[in-house]
Amino acid sequence: MEICILDDGIVPNAVKTLLERLKYDGIKKVTPDNISSDIGCIIVPGGDKGIRRYFRNPNVPPAPILGVSEGDAGGFLSQLDSKEIGLHIDRLHNTKNYNIVEIPRLKVIVDDKNSHIALNDAAVFSAKSATLIEYTLSVNKHEVWHDSGDGIIVSTPMGSTAYSMSTGGPVIFQGSDVFGIVPVNSQDVTRRPIVVPSSSKIEVSEIASHIRCDTILDGVDRLKVKESVKYSKFKSPAHIIRMEDNTTSVSAMIKKVHLAEDLLRMPPSSKLILKMLEYEGEMSQKELIAKTFLPARTVRIALTRLLEKGHIHRKVSILDSRQKIYSIS
Amino acid sequence: MEICILDDGIVPNAVKTLLERLKYDGIKKVTPDNISSDIGCIIVPGGDKGIRRYFRNPNVPPAPILGVSEGDAGGFLSQLDSKEIGLHIDRLHNTKNYNIVEIPRLKVIVDDKNSHIALNDAAVFSAKSATLIEYTLSVNKHEVWHDSGDGIIVSTPMGSTAYSMSTGGPVIFQGSDVFGIVPVNSQDVTRRPIVVPSSSKIEVSEIASHIRCDTILDGVDRLKVKESVKYSKFKSPAHIIRMEDNTTSVSAMIKKVHLAEDLLRMPPSSKLILKMLEYEGEMSQKELIAKTFLPARTVRIALTRLLEKGHIHRKVSILDSRQKIYSIS
């Protein structure tokens, strides 16, 4: 089976690291425009973001991808740290001892013209934050509501724990053959999150606002929209290799909820350290002790706990390899 | 095709009316224990409640049912008023010009013993209202959370606009192959409504409370529960005849939301009349004018609007057939 490493030009260091680690296995890199359809597996660096970027391209081959990340092994889509990749390459090549999961993609047509893909969600908002928009939501040509609010999010099950969840949407477990629709900050209290079969044709039309409106794909790509956005299930789903069973359909979706719980239940010292790292950027243990005025032991215990739970990362300092540098995930 | 009228002993007047209306068509009544498997269609009186009661019986044949109600033609499941049944019997018998929709049923096993069926939802609550319970929720044997709150509701898409919606659950459109799970008044702010594939095995276990806990099926049947309730998709769905397309999968589900909107947007006079009927019971137009101190014209317009929207019913007074009596739906 031919295996390649994707190089989309956005994470050159990650690609370089992967190529070095896998040079003895004869694995080469490909660019997004250059993926032949007979490739058996594509290694995609850049963590979950990299995978979402890859699958927003409608023309990728059906080959499954293996996501790798740098120090962020707790992703929903990418399970492996690039350091571990060497340990798994034999399984990819020979034993094929892994699962391939199918993740539905959302086809998004803006103003009846261009077609785009989203793996998580496609929202409609005013370009300027906290600005009202008006729109009409229809499902299978039936008007569901005409609303005014901050916007609306259509999400896949994968995306249900992302932006959609923050705005009050339900957690949709993987394998649910549905899409979620969540009105954001509606002026009307009767507007509810909706779940529809993934075979539905969803339309947000008659979009109006004082200023320009945008369609936002996976929280990253912003496209101008004048009148309407149409949503449906894209013909080919994303195929993702899962080397480990630690993130099954259930636990992957619940993980975020558990993380939020953890944060709520953490001791004040852990919360303080997390806030310091958030506001002041990455720091060593020494710096943290100095800045938080906490006992060294408290900081040490808190860091261990935060690392375990995946809230923070640890890397070796470039200046001093005995020093560990901590940063938030 | 043999057509029967169901007589479960609970709505004897409705059965009597139906039998009289359909006596020339040779349609006879059957009891729930007495339905032969070769019956082509069963007419079920008692509105949506009657239909839910019928389908909580696990042993009903796969024959489609036609729901009829008395003066409450706006049901989700029963579309016809018993007065209209005569007009439709030819379509049932001969032209077969109607749709049959398939509605999933929930299989509910209480304490690993008895198996029950619900069409809308099966909740777990303390027998006494506003009393905390503790429980563990698992999906496919994976623990999702351990929680304490008022309770938990597992619902079908049909039930998503019933109790589940009142407690913050999403509106799940018909045809979505999923169940909804909603924690009720959890003490933990991170608890979210969840949507899972209908193939999931849902379990509420380690149920504990100061006093007895109940499993409540479709908001009606209450069963004692000691330890656990298991939920799965029941092998045979409900088959329901829809004579009219007015309540398609989309509009049926959205109807409730629109009703709530209507209520919010109604002029004060309509709200006042609705409240009067709610608190004081059924009344004639004359009585309403006297009690509300509203102009006769205002009351008349409001009543027409409330009737149209299905918020109230009108029936002929038994004492004076020229008088119409109004009551809330």
Side-chain angles (χ1 to χ4, degrees):
Chain A
M1 187 175 77
E2 198 187 352
I3 301 175
C4 288
I5 297 165
L6 181 81
D7 182 10
D8 63 3
I10 292 171
V11 283
N13 286 335
V15 175
K16 204 177 142 197
T17 313
L18 281 172
L19 274 175
E20 273 167 22
R21 286 185 195 281
L22 297 173
K23 63 183 166 185
Y24 300 113
D25 298 288
I27 292 172
K28 286 168 196 165
K29 66 180 185 182
V30 284
T31 62
D33 308 321
N34 190 19
I35 307 169
S36 71
S37 59
D38 57 350
I39 287 178
C41 162
I42 298 155
I43 297 172
V44 177
D48 281 12
K49 267 189 201 169
I51 296 178
R52 283 195 293 269
R53 201 161 56 229
Y54 175 77
F55 282 115
R56 280 202 296 282
N57 179 352
N59 302 317
V60 295
I65 67 104
L66 177 71
V68 291
S69 49
E70 291 73 51
D72 179 18
F76 288 100
L77 300 165
S78 77
Q79 289 180 306
L80 295 184
D81 190 303
S82 66
K83 290 190 198 82
E84 305 171 279
I85 186 80
L87 304 169
H88 294 274
I89 206 75
D90 180 58
R91 280 170 68 194
L92 266 192
H93 257 307
N94 302 317
T95 67
K96 307 240 170 7
N97 173 26
Y98 54 78
N99 292 317
I100 296 176
V101 296
E102 211 179 271
I103 294 182
R105 294 197 277 171
L106 202 53
K107 181 180 168 185
V108 183
I109 297 175
V110 179
D111 288 329
D112 281 324
K113 283 177 200 154
N114 298 318
S115 170
H116 307 272
I117 307 284
L119 203 59
N120 265 0
D121 48 44
V124 178
F125 277 78
S126 161
K128 208 164 85 185
S129 63
T131 305
L132 271 187
I133 71 165
E134 270 194 66
Y135 67 89
T136 300
L137 169 69
S138 312
V139 175
N140 298 332
K141 308 252 176 210
H142 294 265
E143 179 174 326
V144 176
W145 62 49
H146 182 83
D147 198 25
S148 54
D150 277 2
I152 184 165
I153 304 169
V154 176
S155 85
T156 63
M158 177 55 66
S160 73
T161 54
Y163 194 13
S164 165
M165 190 166 100
S166 326
T167 61
V171 174
I172 304 174
F173 277 37
Q174 269 187 60
S176 301
D177 200 11
V178 292
F179 292 132
I181 307 173
V182 189
V184 183
N185 305 333
S186 169
Q187 290 194 306
D188 189 328
V189 295
T190 67
R191 302 304 177 219
R192 320 276 310 199
I194 292 176
V195 174
V196 300
S198 70
S199 57
S200 307
K201 305 294 172 205
I202 304 162
E203 185 172 0
V204 174
S205 59
E206 302 177 279
I207 298 169
S209 176
H210 294 304
I211 57 161
R212 203 190 74 215
C213 288
D214 283 347
T215 310
I216 303 137
L217 305 175
D218 289 346
V220 176
D221 294 344
R222 301 185 81 103
L223 310 162
K224 277 184 208 176
V225 54
K226 276 185 187 168
E227 276 194 35
S228 76
V229 184
K230 287 178 179 166
Y231 304 82
S232 57
K233 192 176 181 172
F234 188 59
K235 57 183 189 293
S236 67
H239 290 108
I240 292 174
I241 292 174
R242 304 203 78 86
M243 301 303 273
E244 292 160 38
D245 202 30
N246 66 340
T247 42
T248 63
S249 57
V250 172
S251 56
M253 284 308 184
I254 286 305
K255 203 171 158 186
K256 271 215 169 166
V257 176
H258 284 179
L259 281 177
E261 280 172 35
D262 275 349
L263 284 171
L264 278 170
R265 285 169 190 160
M266 269 192 302
S269 55
S270 299
K271 282 182 188 166
L272 175 60
I273 288 169
L274 214 56
K275 277 286 158 219
M276 289 300 264
L277 292 175
E278 191 181 331
Y279 292 138
E280 312 236 337
E282 52 181 38
M283 263 185 258
S284 70
Q285 190 169 316
K286 257 189 201 164
E287 287 173 293
L288 276 167
I289 295 165
K291 294 226 173 189
T292 58
F293 301 105
L294 289 170
R297 191 173 165 273
T298 307
V299 171
R300 212 163 48 238
I301 292 170
L303 284 173
T304 308
R305 197 183 139 79
L306 289 169
L307 272 173
E308 270 173 13
K309 297 284 180 179
H311 299 307
I312 59 169
H313 292 315
R314 179 172 59 190
K315 61 179 181 185
V316 174
S317 164
I318 307 166
L319 302 171
D320 174 3
S321 63
R322 290 162 305 174
Q323 278 259 18
K324 305 285 186 291
I325 301 293
Y326 299 87
S327 61
I328 60 162
S329 296
Chain B
M1 186 175 76
E2 199 185 352
I3 301 174
C4 286
I5 296 165
L6 181 82
D7 181 10
D8 63 2
I10 291 171
V11 282
N13 287 335
V15 175
K16 204 177 143 200
T17 313
L18 281 173
L19 274 175
E20 274 167 21
R21 287 186 193 280
L22 298 174
K23 63 183 169 188
Y24 301 113
D25 298 289
I27 293 172
K28 287 170 194 162
K29 65 179 185 182
V30 286
T31 61
D33 307 322
N34 191 20
I35 307 170
S36 71
S37 58
D38 56 352
I39 287 179
C41 162
I42 298 155
I43 296 171
V44 176
D48 280 13
K49 267 188 197 169
I51 297 178
R52 284 196 292 269
R53 200 160 60 229
Y54 176 77
F55 281 114
R56 282 202 295 281
N57 178 352
N59 303 318
V60 295
I65 67 106
L66 177 70
V68 291
S69 49
E70 290 74 50
D72 180 18
F76 288 100
L77 300 165
S78 76
Q79 288 180 306
L80 295 186
D81 191 304
S82 66
K83 291 192 199 86
E84 305 171 280
I85 185 81
L87 304 171
H88 294 275
I89 206 75
D90 180 59
R91 280 169 68 191
L92 266 192
H93 258 307
N94 301 319
T95 66
K96 305 238 173 3
N97 173 25
Y98 54 77
N99 292 316
I100 297 176
V101 296
E102 210 179 272
I103 294 182
R105 294 199 277 171
L106 204 53
K107 182 180 170 186
V108 183
I109 298 174
V110 178
D111 288 331
D112 282 325
K113 283 175 200 154
N114 298 320
S115 170
H116 307 270
I117 306 284
L119 203 60
N120 264 1
D121 47 45
V124 179
F125 277 79
S126 163
K128 208 164 84 184
S129 62
T131 304
L132 271 187
I133 72 166
E134 269 193 66
Y135 68 90
T136 300
L137 169 69
S138 311
V139 175
N140 297 331
K141 308 253 178 209
H142 294 265
E143 180 175 327
V144 177
W145 62 51
H146 182 83
D147 198 26
S148 54
D150 277 1
I152 183 165
I153 303 169
V154 177
S155 85
T156 63
M158 178 55 67
S160 72
T161 53
Y163 195 12
S164 165
M165 191 167 99
S166 326
T167 61
V171 174
I172 304 175
F173 277 37
Q174 270 188 59
S176 302
D177 200 12
V178 293
F179 292 133
I181 307 173
V182 188
V184 183
N185 304 334
S186 169
Q187 291 195 304
D188 188 327
V189 293
T190 68
R191 302 303 176 221
R192 317 279 310 202
I194 292 176
V195 173
V196 301
S198 70
S199 57
S200 307
K201 306 293 173 206
I202 304 162
E203 186 173 0
V204 174
S205 59
E206 301 177 280
I207 297 169
S209 177
H210 295 304
I211 58 163
R212 203 191 74 214
C213 287
D214 283 348
T215 310
I216 303 136
L217 305 176
D218 288 345
V220 176
D221 295 345
R222 300 184 81 102
L223 311 161
K224 278 184 207 175
V225 55
K226 276 184 185 167
E227 276 194 37
S228 75
V229 183
K230 287 178 179 166
Y231 305 83
S232 56
K233 192 177 182 171
F234 187 60
K235 57 183 188 294
S236 67
H239 290 109
I240 292 174
I241 290 174
R242 302 202 81 85
M243 302 302 271
E244 291 162 39
D245 203 29
N246 67 340
T247 43
T248 62
S249 57
V250 171
S251 56
M253 285 308 184
I254 286 306
K255 203 172 156 184
K256 272 215 169 167
V257 176
H258 284 179
L259 281 178
E261 279 172 36
D262 275 349
L263 284 172
L264 278 170
R265 287 172 188 157
M266 269 192 302
S269 55
S270 299
K271 282 182 188 164
L272 175 61
I273 288 170
L274 213 58
K275 276 287 156 217
M276 288 301 264
L277 293 173
E278 191 181 332
Y279 291 137
E280 313 237 338
E282 51 182 38
M283 262 185 258
S284 69
Q285 192 169 317
K286 257 189 200 163
E287 288 173 291
L288 277 168
I289 293 165
K291 293 227 175 189
T292 57
F293 301 105
L294 288 170
R297 190 171 167 273
T298 307
V299 171
R300 213 164 47 238
I301 292 170
L303 285 173
T304 308
R305 197 182 138 80
L306 289 168
L307 274 172
E308 268 174 15
K309 296 284 180 180
H311 298 308
I312 61 170
H313 291 318
R314 179 172 58 190
K315 60 178 181 187
V316 173
S317 165
I318 306 166
L319 301 172
D320 175 2
S321 64
R322 289 162 305 174
Q323 277 259 15
K324 304 285 185 291
I325 302 291
Y326 298 87
S327 61
I328 60 161
S329 296

